[in-house]
Amino acid sequence: MVPIAYVCSAAKSEKEGAICLMERIKERPVLGSICGRIKQVWADRGYRGEELITMVMNLLTWVWLIITQKEGQKGFEVLPRRWVVERTFAWLNHKRRLSKDYEKKSNYSENMIYIAMINALLKR
């Protein structure tokens, strides 16, 4: 498993960041071949929109599932598959350098995410 990271400006919406990531995957044949094995992606409400879903289907043929709260839900309830993302963020925050935004350039941050995830995967 190869982690794929894309760090962008906070001024971009989640949907815009996802579109940039999809374009980046298509530009790099190595990433495209690795991502060819992915069948399904779980995303939260920030990644909704017909434009993004059709782009994902056309470019990568992934099934894009949006995980949302149940209607009328009050209080806290664990959302299905959401814990996987939160667990991964917790793994990344164990690395001191990723606990704060120390890096000056986004590609440095991206490389630190790669190093942290490679380290976590090697330990498993």
Side-chain angles (χ1 to χ4, degrees), residues 2 9 13 21 27 33-34 59 67 71 79 83 85 89 97 102 106 110 118 120 124:
V2 176
S9 166
S13 70
L21 175 64
E27 289 171 3
S33 65
I34 292 168
L59 288 179
I67 306 296
E71 285 188 39
L79 298 175
W83 62 271
V85 175
F89 287 150
R97 199 152 171 187
Y102 291 116
S106 63
E110 189 174 320
I118 289 168
R124 297 191 191 305

Side-chain angles (χ1 to χ4, degrees), residues 61-121:
T61 65
W62 294 345
V63 175
W64 196 260
L65 297 175
I66 305 297
I67 306 296
T68 58
Q69 294 177 338
K70 296 175 186 171
E71 285 188 39
Q73 175 184 331
K74 292 184 180 180
F76 176 78
E77 187 176 322
V78 177
L79 298 175
R81 304 307 298 178
R82 182 65 181 260
W83 62 271
V84 175
V85 175
E86 301 302 332
R87 178 199 60 196
T88 305
F89 287 150
W91 288 344
L92 290 173
N93 280 327
H94 281 286
K95 306 299 176 207
R96 182 178 170 270
R97 199 152 171 187
L98 292 174
S99 65
K100 301 274 187 300
D101 202 9
Y102 291 116
E103 309 302 330
K104 300 283 186 217
K105 296 185 177 183
S106 63
N107 61 338
Y108 295 167
S109 294
E110 189 174 320
N111 289 329
M112 291 309 299
I113 292 170
Y114 281 125
I115 291 169
M117 289 305 297
I118 289 168
N119 188 17
L121 290 172

Side-chain angles (χ1 to χ4, degrees), residues 1 6 11 16 18 24 26 40-41 43 45 49 55-56 82 90 92 96 100 103 106-107 115-116 119 121 123:
M1 183 174 130
Y6 176 71
E16 290 171 335
R24 184 180 208 185
K26 271 311 205 191
Q40 185 173 351
V41 175
R45 291 181 303 211
M55 181 176 196
V56 169
R82 182 65 181 260
L92 290 173
R96 182 178 170 270
K100 301 274 187 300
E103 309 302 330
S106 63
N107 61 338
I115 291 169
N119 188 17
L121 290 172
K123 286 182 180 180

